[in-house]
Amino acid sequence: CFSSILRSLGDSSTPLLAMIGGAITNICLDLLFVVVFKWGIAGAAIATLLAQFLTTIFCLYMLKKELPFKLELTKFKFEKKIIKNLLQLGSPLAFQNLIISIGGIMVQSVVNRFGFLFIAGFTATNKLYGLLEVAAISFGYAITTFNSQNLGAKQYERIKKGVAQAAFLSFCTSVIIGGSMILFGKHILLLFISGTPDQINKVLTISYKYLFIMAVCLPILYMLHSYRSALQGMENTFIPMVSGIVELFIRVGVALIFPIFLGQNGIYLAEVLAWTGAAVLLYISYKIKIYALLKGNSEITLNQGDKYNDEGASATDNIDGDITSKIKVSGKVDITKSGTYTITYTVTDKAGNRTEVTRKVTVVATITTTMSTTKKKTTTKKSYTSSGSVKTTRATTQRITTPPTIT
């Protein structure tokens, strides 16, 4: 919890240090409790709990230093609205992780039918899955934090650019990791395989074939994480949950059907096809979401002196098609004077049907107050600027069969 709050504040180094410190502490306490004190399994459990406790205290301490306000237990209280929002955002994520885990269990039940050598090879490759995915998860944390901060600041263009750059970095990283696994995967897999020379060769063949397919398709997994995290950072956790359901059905369906025609090779495809289905859904959903954000708001509030950039409109007709070029714009915004201004977008199709939409822009006056205090014949002047509150309402898309539509 505390590490997530730190990430949301833009601090990703402290959770990393906490994780490293917790891992080192856990190892040291394991050696102390299990090897020295001979406490066995109980010692290992106690070591893990203590390491997690110390990590939590460290994150809380660092959080208290970074927050712009003081944490006090007496000020903690239940806010029904906040709790409701958290449940609305968090419940789909919890369900998403649940169904993905269920899919993995069902695939494992299919794998078990192919004998112990295939199970050993499949398991060896899955041990490397975390290594393949670790950078994707890290990019996901960064994208979620970046998008949520910029969404709150209504910097939609930055979201678009940031996600594009993160997706590019994710793709390049996946190519490097995938290429490394193709080149050195066999040597790494041997660390998880034991038995007779004949058994090792058979298991290595199975596991490397599976690893090779995942390594080649690794960019798909990284795109999946990028766009899933992008949507989550834009307050959309429903589509990521649906993508988890898509993964479940594809993964289980392929694992049950493909082996009938392709044998063991059908199992290898279950994972990458599940990635593909979910990634396509997430990418399309992200594009729709960012498009809706970038089209602009029907009501905008600015402070006096701010720069106003008209976001324009687009128009489509069920017969003429795209007629954006025919839009006529009327109205002006004077950012030097407070008041409410209306921008009107009008378009007429070939049949003479006319449609218009409006955007209301409110300019709020900037108030400057001068205060003076006198003490021992010394005057101190202080000034401040109240920027006013900014309220925006997302644009609604109008669709009229005839006459044309302006959005």
Side-chain angles (χ1 to χ4, degrees), residues 31 35 43 62 102 132 145 154 251 274 303 354 366 376 386:
L31 294 174
V35 178
M62 296 301 295
I102 292 174
L132 294 172
T145 302
K154 295 181 173 56
R251 185 177 287 114
N303 294 316
R354 182 175 176 275
T366 303
K376 295 181 179 181
S386 175

Side-chain angles (χ1 to χ4, degrees), residues 250-265:
I250 295 179
R251 185 177 287 114
V252 174
V254 172
L256 291 174
I257 298 173
F258 277 41
I260 298 174
F261 306 100
L262 303 175
Q264 296 177 350
N265 293 329

Side-chain angles (χ1 to χ4, degrees), residues 113-175:
R113 304 173 188 173
F114 290 91
F116 75 95
L117 291 178
F118 188 81
I119 295 173
F122 188 83
T123 303
T125 301
N126 279 334
K127 288 183 181 296
L128 292 180
Y129 189 92
L131 185 60
L132 294 172
E133 195 179 26
V134 62
I137 295 174
S138 300
F139 278 119
Y141 284 139
I143 294 170
T144 300
T145 302
F146 179 85
N147 277 12
S148 61
Q149 291 175 341
N150 283 282
L151 182 68
K154 295 181 173 56
Q155 297 292 326
Y156 305 137
E157 187 64 32
R158 288 196 66 195
I159 292 177
K160 183 179 179 181
K161 293 179 179 178
V163 172
Q165 293 174 1
F168 176 73
L169 289 174
S170 295
F171 177 82
C172 294
T173 303
S174 66
V175 171

Side-chain angles (χ1 to χ4, degrees), residues 57-308:
I57 295 299
F58 173 73
C59 287
L60 176 60
Y61 171 75
M62 296 301 295
L63 180 61
K64 291 176 69 175
K65 290 180 62 176
E66 293 194 26
L67 287 175
F69 53 86
K70 187 177 181 181
L71 287 174
E72 297 179 3
L73 289 176
T74 55
K75 295 183 178 179
F76 277 75
K77 62 179 181 179
F78 288 102
E79 293 282 354
K80 292 183 179 180
K81 185 177 180 180
I82 295 177
I83 292 174
K84 182 181 178 181
N85 289 338
L86 289 174
L87 288 174
Q88 287 176 340
L89 291 173
S91 298
L93 295 178
F95 185 69
Q96 166 197 318
N97 293 327
L98 174 63
I99 57 182
I100 290 175
S101 299
I102 292 174
I105 294 172
M106 297 180 71
V107 170
Q108 186 64 51
S109 67
V110 177
V111 170
N112 293 341
R113 304 173 188 173
F114 290 91
F116 75 95
L117 291 178
F118 188 81
I119 295 173
F122 188 83
T123 303
T125 301
N126 279 334
K127 288 183 181 296
L128 292 180
Y129 189 92
L131 185 60
L132 294 172
E133 195 179 26
V134 62
I137 295 174
S138 300
F139 278 119
Y141 284 139
I143 294 170
T144 300
T145 302
F146 179 85
N147 277 12
S148 61
Q149 291 175 341
N150 283 282
L151 182 68
K154 295 181 173 56
Q155 297 292 326
Y156 305 137
E157 187 64 32
R158 288 196 66 195
I159 292 177
K160 183 179 179 181
K161 293 179 179 178
V163 172
Q165 293 174 1
F168 176 73
L169 289 174
S170 295
F171 177 82
C172 294
T173 303
S174 66
V175 171
I176 294 172
I177 295 176
S180 300
M181 287 299 166
I182 292 173
L183 294 175
F184 309 110
K186 287 186 177 181
H187 301 288
I188 300 174
L189 286 169
L190 285 173
L191 298 174
F192 306 101
I193 301 173
S194 61
T196 65
D198 182 58
Q199 289 175 336
I200 291 175
N201 287 332
K202 290 181 179 179
V203 172
L204 183 60
T205 301
I206 293 169
S207 59
Y208 182 72
K209 183 182 289 187
Y210 184 30
L211 178 63
F212 181 86
I213 292 174
M214 285 207 296
V216 170
C217 299
L218 196 60
I220 300 174
L221 176 64
Y222 275 61
M223 293 302 100
L224 183 155
H225 276 281
S226 295
Y227 291 109
R228 174 179 285 165
S229 300
L231 286 169
Q232 290 170 351
M234 295 161 70
E235 297 183 335
N236 185 342
T237 56
F238 177 75
I239 294 298
M241 181 192 72
V242 174
S243 73
I245 298 175
V246 170
E247 280 192 71
L248 170 66
F249 279 100
I250 295 179
R251 185 177 287 114
V252 174
V254 172
L256 291 174
I257 298 173
F258 277 41
I260 298 174
F261 306 100
L262 303 175
Q264 296 177 350
N265 293 329
I267 295 292
Y268 302 144
L269 298 175
E271 195 70 25
V272 296
L273 289 179
W275 297 347
T276 304
V280 169
L281 171 64
L282 291 165
Y283 177 77
I284 294 174
S285 300
Y286 166 75
K287 284 297 184 180
I288 294 173
K289 179 76 173 179
I290 194 67
Y291 175 81
L293 289 173
L294 291 173
K295 289 306 293 181
N297 300 308
S298 60
E299 295 185 13
I300 299 176
T301 301
L302 301 172
N303 294 316
Q304 188 175 345
D306 285 352
K307 184 178 180 181
Y308 172 67

